[in-house]
Amino acid sequence: MNVNYSKWFRAALYIIAAITCLIILYPYVVMFFSSVKGMDEIYRIPGTLLPEKWNLSNYLTVWKHIPLGYYFRNSAIVACGATALSITCAIPTGYALARMNFPGKKGFMQFIIITQMFAPVVLLVGIYKIMMTFHLTNSLFGLILLIAAFNQAFSSWLLSGTFATISRELEEAATIDGCTRLQAVIRVIIPLAAPGIVTAVIHAFIGAWNEYTLTLVLISDTYKKSLNVGIRAFFGYTNVEWWYVFTCSLLTTLPILLLFQAIDKYIVGGLTAGGVKG
Amino acid sequence: MDARIRKKPGIARFEAYLWMLPTLTLVSVFVLFPVLESVYMSFSKVSKAGIIKSFGTLDNFRYVLKQPVFPRVIVNTVVWTVLIVLISIVISITLAIVLNERFHLRRITRTMLLFPWATSGFITACVWKYALDYQYGSVNALLIRSGLVKKNINFLGNADSAFAWLIFVGVFVTVPFMTFTLLSGLQSISVDYYEAATIDGAGFWDKLFKITLPLLRPAINVTIVLNVIYCFNSFVFVHTITGGTPAHRTDTIMTYLYWMAFSKGNYGAAAAISVIGFIVLLIFSVIYMNVQMKEETA
């Protein structure tokens, strides 16, 4: 609504935006301040707002309490592996959905929508049983397969929307020049669909990096846990070592937030360009 | 175009399935198979170790439905889903309208809205669990130090107040992506409508109720159905912040299912809860498909 209203309307815009920013920032500020407080300060009643003493050393000592290096490595392996597998499978599926007519197409699309409804948590018992059968518990590879599988609906849907916006003629020109269909997809379609693919990659990566429930249920070996599940070590029976919980939380969250500052236009841009509603 | 592509004989019509084979394999093994396994288990006698003893019994369902807390769990799930989606949609429509205007705070607000979406649910849950702590929580510290209250408030102390705060956290994580979806819907509405309305002397509220909301309707419908599903499936917030305490009175179907399987070790009953969950989800997905198709034909 690019129309100028009264100054009350302008004031309302600023007030709503400011309140939104404050509420969103609040947990991150709490996370940061609490991560540098010492034990005595965390448990003081009433709590302090700003840290009295800045224990930045928490960020060094935390590495001695849990195998954080392993957790970073595991989270990176699972996130990269699941993203790569998921997108590699979703590209041909998205292409087939966008370009081909085949018997049972409508049924397949409904099947895809229905699988999107199922979050891993509602299937936990079945998943646990199947992963036991395949000896894929306590396995990063098992997690990669599962996360990629649950991501298929979203990724192939998004990519099929992106592929549908690309002109068929370019692809046909390539076929006339002697490319097979597969070559045409690799040389013509994929480069043109790059923004949509980036969006799909971002969504898959975030989902996998932040995955919690499956890792919690399937991984019990300390050295195979991810950052998110590893943090649970600081939740004791009687008290919680909050300062370490939050040092790890920030170390987990910052790489993602920094990555986003660089590529934030793709996060939403690709979603609308791809015509995915939702 | 050569004849090979235009007219395909018999088997070639199935070429698409070859392209979709990797996806089909992954989804069948890791999504479809667990669905079937859960259904099978829910009708079987299952040992504590998760081994199926015999098939063909309704005992698991009887057991679950007999639990005195189960009605509460169902009511919680409905309240949780409905309230989060309703509150979030109102906030998100407002925010989307705000962010569709040009003003100085717009860019920073948009960037910040991405934060909760990019942060892991578990970490968000941890921060709010700490912030809302009765003894040393930062919300209490803020209220005391600013002189607003005299003594600490026990936010998570009883089931009702704890559940209200869980819904607050649910809204906190639901609003960002909802806002972005609705914002992209808003941006597709032509400026011409508003210009014409201005010439006709329409004010802000006229434009809101006669142009913006009716044209945003399809986007709102899809967003509502999708988020109902997300909220229904939500697990980590309740699990981390209250863990269902006190006495399952803040549990939803998902956290109750987890507890039944991995704390109580009753896999059969947990599978029965899963199946009840599937039925609810299936009803939602039928609604979703209808909404989606209506939008496509409209």
Side-chain angles (χ1 to χ4, degrees), chain B residues 194 197 200-214:
Chain B
Y194 295 109
D200 289 349
F204 170 76
W205 298 106
D206 285 325
K207 289 176 195 163
L208 177 66
F209 285 107
K210 297 198 174 126
I211 303 174
T212 312
L213 290 181

Side-chain angles (χ1 to χ4, degrees), chain A residues 28 93 103 117 122 152 228 272, chain B residues 17 23 101 119-120 184 233 274:
Chain A
Y28 297 90
T93 306
M117 309 289 116
V122 71
Q152 285 310 293
N228 274 300
T272 47
Chain B
Y17 284 94
T23 295
E101 298 288 335
T119 306
S120 102
S184 69
N233 280 326
S274 289

Side-chain angles (χ1 to χ4, degrees), chain A residues 14-165:
Chain A
Y14 280 94
I15 293 169
I16 293 170
I19 293 174
T20 310
C21 288
L22 284 179
I23 295 176
I24 291 178
L25 264 186
Y26 180 71
Y28 297 90
V29 173
V30 168
M31 221 194 279
F32 176 62
F33 285 162
S34 313
S35 75
V36 294
K37 287 180 186 175
M39 172 156 63
D40 56 322
E41 207 181 330
I42 286 272
Y43 289 132
R44 196 174 307 163
I45 301 169
T48 50
L49 297 179
L50 285 163
E52 278 172 2
K53 221 179 103 207
W54 291 69
N55 273 318
L56 286 166
S57 60
N58 283 350
Y59 281 88
L60 296 174
T61 48
V62 67
W63 295 79
K64 287 184 216 141
H65 290 80
I66 52 169
L68 206 52
Y70 279 93
Y71 296 164
F72 260 105
R73 193 203 63 172
N74 297 340
S75 284
I77 291 176
V78 170
C80 294
T83 307
L85 178 63
S86 172
I87 303 302
T88 313
C89 297
I91 285 175
T93 306
Y95 177 79
L97 287 176
R99 283 287 196 267
M100 298 175 185
N101 270 317
F102 51 90
K105 182 168 179 177
K106 204 174 163 212
F108 181 78
M109 286 171 114
Q110 287 173 344
F111 170 71
I112 288 271
I113 293 178
I114 289 170
T115 61
Q116 204 191 341
M117 309 289 116
F118 293 118
V121 61
V122 71
L123 297 172
L124 271 182
V125 183
I127 290 174
Y128 186 67
K129 194 83 201 298
I130 272 156
M131 299 309 266
M132 293 284 266
T133 318
F134 292 151
H135 301 288
L136 282 173
T137 55
N138 266 323
S139 148
L140 298 183
F141 181 60
L143 275 181
I144 289 174
L145 290 170
L146 266 176
I147 295 171
F150 277 94
N151 184 251
Q152 285 310 293
F154 182 79
S155 291
S156 41
W157 207 248
L158 185 130
L159 289 173
S160 113
T162 310
F163 292 146
T165 62

